[in-house]
Amino acid sequence: MECCREIWPLFGSKGQAAHQDFEYIHHEPNTMIAVSIAMEKNDEENGYLGVIPGSHKLGPLPHGKVKNILEHADWTMETEGVDLTAEIPVVLEKGDILFFHSLLVHSSTLNKTKDRFRRSYVCHYIRHDSNITLRKDLKRKIDLY
């Protein structure tokens, strides 16, 4: 039974459906930027980050229920009104850093490996004069200076 617990977080871990971070953290004016730091290699096998180049220029898009629950966690929301086939993989080596706009449509995929994690550290920055709406848990502001 021990080995099953070790394998569970790896093989079969679902990704997050294509979305814009703005959908989860509404704020005005929109100043959020996301940072993803690869703690190990993230590739097509262990659940890469996929992006749709230029999709941030489309503005906030509607989001709905996840369509592929075999690939994506059912708690996530999925972007509607954009061509998801335009998504390209972003392969990150351990230590690589990716910065992206809060409106960039992006997703992650199912981990197909039996011996590799896809750990990454993700952080979001919102300018101090932006007001966060809907999420009371994010209303506290922390000065960085």
Side-chain angles (χ1 to χ4, degrees):
M1 213 45 169
E2 260 330 280
C3 71
C4 295
R5 273 187 240 154
E6 292 173 13
I7 292 173
W8 173 247
L10 301 168
F11 182 68
S13 294
K14 294 181 180 183
Q16 189 169 0
H19 67 281
Q20 296 172 310
D21 287 343
F22 185 81
E23 176 66 17
Y24 293 96
I25 308 173
H26 289 263
H27 59 289
E28 295 298 334
N30 183 1
T31 61
M32 185 167 59
I33 188 167
V35 179
S36 180
I37 304 169
M39 305 308 287
E40 55 215 338
K41 186 173 184 173
N42 287 219
D43 56 32
E44 289 92 340
E45 291 301 309
N46 72 340
Y48 68 83
L49 179 72
V51 301
I52 299 179
S55 58
H56 65 289
K57 297 175 185 174
L58 301 172
L61 297 169
H63 286 63
K65 197 170 178 158
V66 174
K67 293 169 189 70
N68 184 350
I69 60 170
L70 296 176
E71 183 81 23
H72 301 117
D74 60 3
W75 60 266
T76 65
M77 300 292 287
E78 187 166 328
T79 304
E80 297 173 346
V82 66
D83 178 11
L84 298 179
T85 65
E87 186 176 85
I88 61 168
V90 177
V91 174
L92 299 173
E93 298 294 331
K94 182 177 181 177
D96 284 352
I97 300 173
L98 178 68
F99 293 87
F100 56 95
H101 193 281
S102 68
L103 295 177
L104 181 73
V105 177
H106 61 286
S107 70
S108 56
T109 58
L110 182 75
N111 187 341
K112 299 174 189 92
T113 68
K114 293 189 191 250
D115 61 350
R116 294 173 51 217
F117 286 99
R118 61 161 176 248
R119 290 180 279 227
S120 59
Y121 179 75
V122 178
C123 188
H124 296 89
Y125 172 79
I126 300 172
R127 204 172 64 199
H128 74 287
D129 60 342
S130 289
N131 289 317
I132 297 172
T133 59
L134 305 178
R135 296 272 308 265
K136 290 183 178 158
D137 61 319
L138 298 176
K139 296 240 181 221
R140 183 172 162 247
K141 295 183 178 182
I142 301 169
D143 289 329
L144 297 178
Y145 53 91

